[in-house]
């Protein structure tokens, strides 16, 4: 058979009459304009319909017994519709020559090869495209617990025959979230890029930098070429902004300067943790010289529920009855 393609490959159909007419004969050829267009040496612009003229002699260069070449050029449609076979309709023939008038030819089968593949294209930016983008060592998108954002783009590779919905979700919302949660492409907007914003989620735990995935798909559509597709997921890395530590009010570095007295005057400090623990934390206190001062309580316990709630540490001066200075 005759084969064309959506990249513009052409095929040829050769036409002539079997018997000499007594008057000019006009043969109309019609194509499927969504798959192929027709042209010849006298009609260079491809079109849906082409009419060939055959004369009784060679006066006009179109004798009845000379083959005329019809070129069929494949048409590109941007749809993943597989190879399409269609029929060139040949006829009816127009002529005042009665034996030819109204004749039809069975036609010629043409196969137009498809060049489209349905695909959801996920594009992660590079520093070449966007110098401000933050990427990890393996190319993952960087977000942070300070709720810094990043992004990637999504577009379809071919025109769908119906609405296409692409769901976008984080596999760990404690590390990052996506907006929007789904993308909708229509047959008239399939090639317009849509952007997904990824926002880092904050916690209060010193858990290091945590990797997670933005899952793209599966795709939902009445168009079976798109329905069920599972595009590439996008790896992300959420950087930590928490530090484990003990916060004591009034402290500077490792020293605490506050006055007690041998009259029993006390000094008070508040104590809390700087980040949420994964297990209970026991903090103990001890006076370096219990003849000068005592501490109460001697220990505090912080949990994941009350780690940021301050507890009070009291230091009480001790009277030693000796004139020993401060």
């Amino acid at each position: 058979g005759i084969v064309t393609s959506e990249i513009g490959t052409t095929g040829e159909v050769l036409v002539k009459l079997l018997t000499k007419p007594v008057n000019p004969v006009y043969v109309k050829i019609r194509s499927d304009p969504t798959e192929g267009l027709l042209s010849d040496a006298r009609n260079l612009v491809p079109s849906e319909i082409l009419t060939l003229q055959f004369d009784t002699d060679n006066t006009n260069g179109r004798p009845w017994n000379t083959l005329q070449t019809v070129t069929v050029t494949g048409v590109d449609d941007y749809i993943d519709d597989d190879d399409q076979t269609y029929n060139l309709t040949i006829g009816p023939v127009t002529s005042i020559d009665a034996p030819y008038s109204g004749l039809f030819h069975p036609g010629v089968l043409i196969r137009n090869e498809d060049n489209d593949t349905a695909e959801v294209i996920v594009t992660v930016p590079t520093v070449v495209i966007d110098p401000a983008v933050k990427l990890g060592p393996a190319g993952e998108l960087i977000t942070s617990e300070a709720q810094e954002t990043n992004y990637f783009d999504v577009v379809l590779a071919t025109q769908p025959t119906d609405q296409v919905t692409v769901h976008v979700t984080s596999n760990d919302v404690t590390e990052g979230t996506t907006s929007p949660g789904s993308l909708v492409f229509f047959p008239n907007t399939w090639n317009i890029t849509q952007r997904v914003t990824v926002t880092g989620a904050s916690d209060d735990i010193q858990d290091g930098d945590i990797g997670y995935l933005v899952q793209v798909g599966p795709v939902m559509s009445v168009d079976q070429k798109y329905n069920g597709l599972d595009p590439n997921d996008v790896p992300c890395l959420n950087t930590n902004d928490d530090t484990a530590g003990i916060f004591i009010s009034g402290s500077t570095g490792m020293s605490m300067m506050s006055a007690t007295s041998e009259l029993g005057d006390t000094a008070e400090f508040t104590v809390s943790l700087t980040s949420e623990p994964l297990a209970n934390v026991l903090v103990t206190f001890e006076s370096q010289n219990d003849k000068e001062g005592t501490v109460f309580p001697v220990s505090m316990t912080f949990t994941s529920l009350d780690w940021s709630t301050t507890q009070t540490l009291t230091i009480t001066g001790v009277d030693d009855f000796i004139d020993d200075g401060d």
Side-chain angles (χ1 to χ4, degrees), residues 136-155:
E140 61 267 58
L141 292 177
I142 296 293
T143 59
S144 78
E145 292 188 356
Q147 296 187 315
E148 286 184 285
T149 64
N150 219 316
Y151 70 91
F152 62 90
D153 294 326
V154 181
V155 71

Side-chain angles (χ1 to χ4, degrees), residues 64-139:
W64 64 275
N65 57 351
T66 298
L67 290 169
Q68 294 191 39
T69 301
V70 177
T71 299
V72 185
T73 302
V75 173
D76 191 6
D77 59 9
Y78 305 107
I79 301 172
D80 183 358
D81 55 358
D82 299 322
D83 297 349
Q84 295 292 310
T85 299
Y86 63 100
N87 191 57
L88 285 187
T89 302
I90 302 177
V93 174
T94 303
S95 179
I96 60 175
D97 186 327
Y100 274 105
S101 180
L103 283 181
F104 274 95
H105 185 276
V108 177
L109 286 179
I110 309 290
R111 186 176 83 249
N112 192 36
E113 294 181 336
D114 189 34
N115 70 337
D116 302 295
T117 302
E119 181 185 1
V120 178
I121 301 173
V122 179
T123 303
V124 175
T126 66
V127 292
V128 175
I129 298 173
D130 183 357
V133 71
K134 293 182 178 179
L135 300 176

Side-chain angles (χ1 to χ4, degrees), residues 279-300:
N280 290 354
V281 174
L282 177 66
V283 181
T284 60
F285 304 94
E286 181 180 358
S287 173
Q288 289 181 323
N289 187 347
D290 57 9
K291 292 184 174 58
E292 295 293 337
T294 59
V295 296
F296 181 84
V298 295
S299 67
M300 299 176 181

Side-chain angles (χ1 to χ4, degrees), residues 54-314:
F54 294 92
D55 298 319
T56 58
D57 55 34
N58 196 31
T59 301
N60 297 316
R62 293 175 290 200
W64 64 275
N65 57 351
T66 298
L67 290 169
Q68 294 191 39
T69 301
V70 177
T71 299
V72 185
T73 302
V75 173
D76 191 6
D77 59 9
Y78 305 107
I79 301 172
D80 183 358
D81 55 358
D82 299 322
D83 297 349
Q84 295 292 310
T85 299
Y86 63 100
N87 191 57
L88 285 187
T89 302
I90 302 177
V93 174
T94 303
S95 179
I96 60 175
D97 186 327
Y100 274 105
S101 180
L103 283 181
F104 274 95
H105 185 276
V108 177
L109 286 179
I110 309 290
R111 186 176 83 249
N112 192 36
E113 294 181 336
D114 189 34
N115 70 337
D116 302 295
T117 302
E119 181 185 1
V120 178
I121 301 173
V122 179
T123 303
V124 175
T126 66
V127 292
V128 175
I129 298 173
D130 183 357
V133 71
K134 293 182 178 179
L135 300 176
E140 61 267 58
L141 292 177
I142 296 293
T143 59
S144 78
E145 292 188 356
Q147 296 187 315
E148 286 184 285
T149 64
N150 219 316
Y151 70 91
F152 62 90
D153 294 326
V154 181
V155 71
L156 303 187
T158 62
Q159 182 179 11
T161 58
D162 209 299
Q163 173 181 318
V164 172
T165 301
V166 182
H167 293 288
V168 183
T169 56
S170 169
N171 74 338
D172 187 351
V173 295
T174 67
E175 296 298 336
T177 58
T178 62
S179 178
S182 63
L183 308 172
V184 179
F185 295 90
F186 296 95
N188 62 337
T189 62
W190 64 274
N191 57 350
I192 299 175
T193 298
Q194 298 190 43
R195 178 157 293 182
V196 176
T197 299
V198 187
T199 303
S202 180
D203 59 29
D204 298 308
I205 303 171
Q206 184 186 349
D207 52 1
D209 300 340
I210 302 295
Y212 61 102
L213 285 177
V214 173
Q215 297 170 321
V216 184
V219 177
M220 297 179 62
S221 179
V222 173
D223 184 338
Q224 292 305 303
K225 292 291 186 176
Y226 274 101
N227 189 53
L229 287 183
D230 190 7
N232 292 330
D233 296 332
V234 178
C236 302
L237 185 68
N238 198 37
T239 58
N240 184 62
D241 66 353
D242 301 296
T243 302
I246 300 170
F247 180 75
I248 302 177
S249 68
S251 65
T252 302
M254 296 299 294
S255 64
M256 296 184 295
M257 298 299 293
S258 188
T260 60
S261 77
E262 292 186 358
L263 295 175
D265 292 330
T266 62
E268 291 186 346
F269 298 87
T270 57
V271 183
S272 61
L273 303 186
T274 59
S275 65
E276 180 183 343
L278 297 176
N280 290 354
V281 174
L282 177 66
V283 181
T284 60
F285 304 94
E286 181 180 358
S287 173
Q288 289 181 323
N289 187 347
D290 57 9
K291 292 184 174 58
E292 295 293 337
T294 59
V295 296
F296 181 84
V298 295
S299 67
M300 299 176 181
T301 299
F302 294 91
T303 71
S304 60
L305 299 178
D306 66 3
W307 63 273
S308 61
T309 301
T310 58
Q311 298 186 42
T312 301
L313 175 67
T314 301

